[in-house]
Each structure stands twice: as C-alpha cells, then as structure tokens.
C-alpha cells in the first residue's frame, strides 16, 4: 500500500483536486462582478464611398471612419482576467438587413500591459463594407465592447457605456483619407 | 506481480461484477456527454483548442465549453465554433461582421485574433459567409491546459492505446 507509486499517485490526485478547486474559486469569486466601464468615443471624420468589395466582387458602400477613444480598464483586471479583447462595433439597420454589425477596430490588452486606452484620430482597422449600398444618410451606432478572457471561467462579453449615434453623410465622398 | 495474482483469485461472480462495473463507467461517461448535449444545445459541448489562431486568448490544449441555444442569436464579437464543408476539424474564431435579415436569417464573417486576415481564405471556395447551420457552438466557458491530454493522445496514438489499456485493465482488476 505504501509503495512509492501509491504515494506519487495520491500526491498527483491531491494536487489535481487542489488545482481544480482553485480554478473553480477563481470563477466563483469573479463571476458576479460588474465589468462595465465608461468609454469616451468621438468620431472625427466619416467618408462614404461606393466601390467593388474585394473577394466578393459586387459594388458595395464602403465607410471610412476616424475615431478617438478613451477608456480605463484598470478595474476590470482582477485576478481572473487574463486578457481583454476590445472591439469597436458599428451597428445599423438597412432595408436589406434588420441588423448589421461590423467590427471597425479591435485591440488586445494582456494582463500586465497598460490598461489605459487613449487613442487619437485612428482610422478603422477592418474594411467597413456594407452588405449593399445603404450607408449614405444612414444612422450608425458606434460602441466599444469587450470580451473578458479569464484564467478559468465564463467568457463575458460586456457592452461599454458611452455609445454614440452618428449620422452618415448624404453623398459619396471623394476625399482621400 | 500481485495484481495478476489478484486477477487469478477472482471467482466467476467477481468477474461479472468487474465487467458490469466497467460497463457502468463507460455508460455514465456517455450519459454525461449526451446529457451535456441536451442541456447546452450543442452537438459538441466541450472542445479542445487545436491551433494557435486565437492566441493570446486560447492556446493549443485549452478547453472551451460551448452552448448553442437557438433562441440566443449570434452577435459580432462572439467566439463561434463552426464547421466548413470539406474540413473535418471545426474552426474556433471570432465573428467580426454580421448581417441579419428581418426573418432572422443570419450570415457572418469570422477571423482568428492571431490571424492578419479574415477567414474567407479558409472557407470552401466561393463561400463568403458562415451561416447559422454551420455553427457547432458558441464559446462560453474557458479552462486552460486540460485538453493537452487529448492532443498528446492524438499526436501519439500509441500513448492513447497504452493509457486506455492501462485504465481498462485497472478498472477490471481493481477491487475495493
């Protein structure tokens, strides 16, 4: 009974259950917290164009947005937050689709990195192509959301406070950005 | 070896008991898996991350818990697990663009956090969007490292048979 093997086995089983218990405690202690934060979003410039969408082949409306973003995520980084995935999302309605959601920009903050986001006059990272040609004169809601990647636990997606509504220009722009 | 002398000392009833015990373990594992399928609505409620395309969020060997409730709509920013025709292994990536019609018909584009470009190159030729029917589940829970065991077993099939054989043998001959 008291062989080396039996003892190693017991030790291994015990450390495994302790690890599991700690991971579960991590999940329980952080699962019911409020992860929302205030975000300041400002749109500096919008241009709408109509051009052929690469890969798709059809002519669609293309939006170009320059934005400014301020937020502080220090309180979100508790002991069960490994990474924060921020994404700036545009939501709008068209005659074609009841709901359109386009991620304009994203950013990863790992644990230990600077949790303060201060972005000035950045243009969208992903192409903002509509599914058709319905961007002109449309209303856009722009908001920052984040996805919490825990050490172990629930993958919360949190809508940020401070979303803005934007009226898109009535005509296609010609200016280069 | 005393374990084999244990085995020799077993009488018929004890052999039956051990075999039934073994069947119990197999069937409860199956019941738990099928039960999870029912409660989560996903055909594969637990998946192991097999690629580094979602780093630094998910690494190879991390475990994801999925749900796939019909009433719960897919939204941009969410991490979905979906199947592509002609590919055996489902992909775990994030939705970056989504269009939903008034009747609820939805199409979306995905991208791995660690990839430079979206997934259109990964889809089947000519496919531009992922649709609701391709979705196996949406990532809800995360546990690190645990799935590395299955990755090791898949990479070294001999290890798999050794572990399964040993476990089976242990259950069959182990007596309280």
């Amino acid at each position: 009974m008291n062989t080396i093997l039996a003892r190693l086995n017991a030790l291994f089983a015990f450390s495994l259950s302790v690890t599991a218990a700690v991971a579960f405690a991590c999940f329980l202690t952080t699962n019911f917290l409020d992860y929302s934060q205030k975000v300041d979003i400002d749109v500096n410039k919008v241009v709408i164009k109509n051009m052929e969408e690469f890969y798709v082949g059809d002519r669609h409306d293309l939006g170009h947005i320059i934005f400014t973003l301020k937020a502080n995520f220090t309180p979100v980084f508790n002991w069960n937050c490994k990474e924060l995935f921020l994404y700036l999302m545009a939501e709008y309605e068209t005659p074609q689709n009841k709901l359109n959601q386009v991620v304009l920009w994203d950013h990863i903050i790992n644990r230990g990195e600077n949790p303060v986001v201060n972005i000035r006059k950045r243009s969208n990272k992903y192409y903002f192509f509509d599914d058709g040609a319905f961007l002109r004169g449309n209303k856009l809601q722009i908001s920052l959301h984040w996805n919490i990647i825990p050490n172990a636990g629930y993958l919360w997606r949190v809508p940020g406070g401070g979303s803005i509504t934007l009226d898109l220009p009535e005509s296609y722009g010609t200016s280069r950005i | 070896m005393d374990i084999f002398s244990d085995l020799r000392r077993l009488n018929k009833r004890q052999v039956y008991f051990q075999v039934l015990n073994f069947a119990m373990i197999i069937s409860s594992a199956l019941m738990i898996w099928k039960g999870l399928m029912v409660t989560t609505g996903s055909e594969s409620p637990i998946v192991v991350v097999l690629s580094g395309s979602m780093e630094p969020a998910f690494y190879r060997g991390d475990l994801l818990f999925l749900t796939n409730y019909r009433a719960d709509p897919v939204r941009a920013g969410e991490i979905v697990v979906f199947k592509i025709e002609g590919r055996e292994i489902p992909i775990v990536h994030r939705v970056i663009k989504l269009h939903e019609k008034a009747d609820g018909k939805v199409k979306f584009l995905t991208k791995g956090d660690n990839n430079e470009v979206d997934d259109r190159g990964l889809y089947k030729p000519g496919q531009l969007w992922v649709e609701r029917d391709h979705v196996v589940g949406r990532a809800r829970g995360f546990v690190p490292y645990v799935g590395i065991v299955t990755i090791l077993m898949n990479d070294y099939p001999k290890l798999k048979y050794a572990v399964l054989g040993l476990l089976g043998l242990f259950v069959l001959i182990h007596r309280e």
Side-chain angles (χ1 to χ4, degrees):
Chain A
M1 207 64 227
N2 291 318
T3 59
I4 279 279
L5 216 60
R7 285 178 184 198
L8 278 180
N9 183 32
L11 190 69
F12 180 69
F14 183 63
S15 32
L16 213 61
S17 22
V18 169
T19 316
V22 169
F24 193 69
C26 253
F27 157 69
L28 269 191
T29 49
T30 54
N31 198 45
F32 307 102
L33 301 177
D34 180 16
Y35 286 105
S36 59
Q37 273 316 304
K38 177 88 184 70
V39 184
D40 283 324
I41 307 172
D42 199 19
V43 171
N44 306 98
K45 191 176 181 186
V46 191
V47 177
I48 307 292
K49 290 181 180 182
N50 187 270
M51 58 183 290
E52 188 178 310
E53 183 170 356
F54 334 109
Y55 217 98
V56 176
D58 297 327
R59 282 190 82 83
H60 287 161
D61 274 6
L62 172 69
H64 199 132
I65 291 178
I66 293 185
F67 61 93
T68 295
L69 200 64
K70 277 197 197 91
N72 184 358
F73 292 102
T74 313
V76 176
F77 276 96
N78 56 38
W79 62 48
N80 197 18
C81 183
K82 181 178 86 172
E83 176 205 315
L84 209 56
F85 184 89
L86 310 173
Y87 51 103
L88 188 72
M89 187 158 77
E91 285 176 277
Y92 59 101
E93 195 185 329
T94 58
Q96 190 182 14
N97 296 301
K98 183 88 186 124
L99 175 73
N100 300 274
Q101 291 185 315
V102 180
V103 174
L104 301 175
W105 172 87
D106 61 15
H107 179 59
I108 290 172
I109 306 178
N110 282 307
R111 191 182 184 76
E113 288 174 4
N114 181 12
V116 179
V117 173
N118 192 355
I119 289 192
R120 282 174 48 79
K121 300 198 173 170
R122 186 76 60 91
S123 42
N124 51 314
K125 179 174 166 185
Y126 301 114
Y127 285 105
F128 175 23
F129 271 109
D130 181 38
D131 195 24
F134 300 105
L135 286 186
R136 274 179 307 170
N138 210 332
K139 261 194 176 20
L140 216 61
Q141 201 198 339
I142 296 184
S143 50
L144 187 75
H145 298 241
W146 43 96
N147 182 201
I148 289 163
I149 317 290
N151 290 315
Y154 194 82
L155 292 156
W156 286 106
R157 277 179 302 131
V158 187
S163 73
I164 58 164
T165 309
L166 182 71
D167 290 313
L168 293 175
E170 293 287 345
S171 57
Y172 291 128
T174 45
S175 73
R176 295 169 71 94
I177 293 196
Chain B
M1 292 277 285
D2 58 326
I3 49 168
F4 289 110
S5 62
D6 261 7
L7 195 59
R8 242 170 286 148
R9 263 184 280 126
L10 292 174
N11 63 32
K12 231 178 206 167
R13 273 164 194 260
Q14 280 167 321
V15 170
Y16 291 151
F17 178 77
Q18 292 297 58
V19 169
L20 280 177
N21 202 8
F22 190 60
M24 264 304 261
I25 289 171
I26 300 279
S27 49
S28 13
L30 198 70
M31 268 168 67
I32 290 172
W33 182 251
K34 292 284 172 188
L36 273 176
M37 279 170 78
V38 173
T39 49
T40 60
S42 169
E43 60 186 273
S44 172
I46 299 175
V47 294
V48 175
V49 177
L50 295 176
S51 85
S53 62
M54 284 297 279
E55 283 175 21
F58 306 150
Y59 289 86
R60 251 169 83 80
D62 290 347
L63 211 65
L64 297 178
F65 293 88
L66 314 180
T67 64
N68 197 16
Y69 303 120
R70 280 275 140 186
D72 184 16
V74 179
R75 287 295 173 253
E78 194 165 26
I79 299 164
V80 292
V81 180
F82 58 94
K83 274 188 177 151
I84 293 298
E85 236 177 278
R87 274 177 182 267
E88 215 173 297
I89 298 166
I91 301 175
V92 185
H93 279 176
R94 197 183 293 274
V95 177
I96 62 160
K97 200 174 177 192
L98 176 141
H99 301 290
E100 191 176 84
K101 298 234 182 263
D103 62 2
K105 196 171 173 357
V106 70
K107 59 179 185 183
F108 52 88
L109 179 65
T110 54
K111 176 184 167 288
D113 289 359
N114 200 25
N115 294 350
E116 285 300 314
V117 292
D118 63 47
D119 289 347
R120 282 195 171 135
L122 295 176
Y123 301 161
K124 129 186 120 156
Q127 181 182 353
L128 295 175
W129 303 98
V130 182
E131 281 161 37
R132 192 66 183 83
D133 289 342
H134 302 147
V135 176
V136 175
R138 276 80 68 65
R140 291 288 178 260
F142 170 83
V143 180
Y145 309 125
V146 180
I148 202 73
V149 185
T150 58
I151 289 188
L152 284 176
M153 284 188 185
N154 275 330
D155 288 356
Y156 307 100
K158 277 180 188 157
L159 180 75
K160 176 163 68 183
Y161 297 126
V163 169
L164 286 180
L166 274 176
L167 278 178
L169 194 70
F170 182 73
V171 171
L172 278 176
I173 63 177
H174 181 72
R175 281 189 300 162
E176 287 298 310

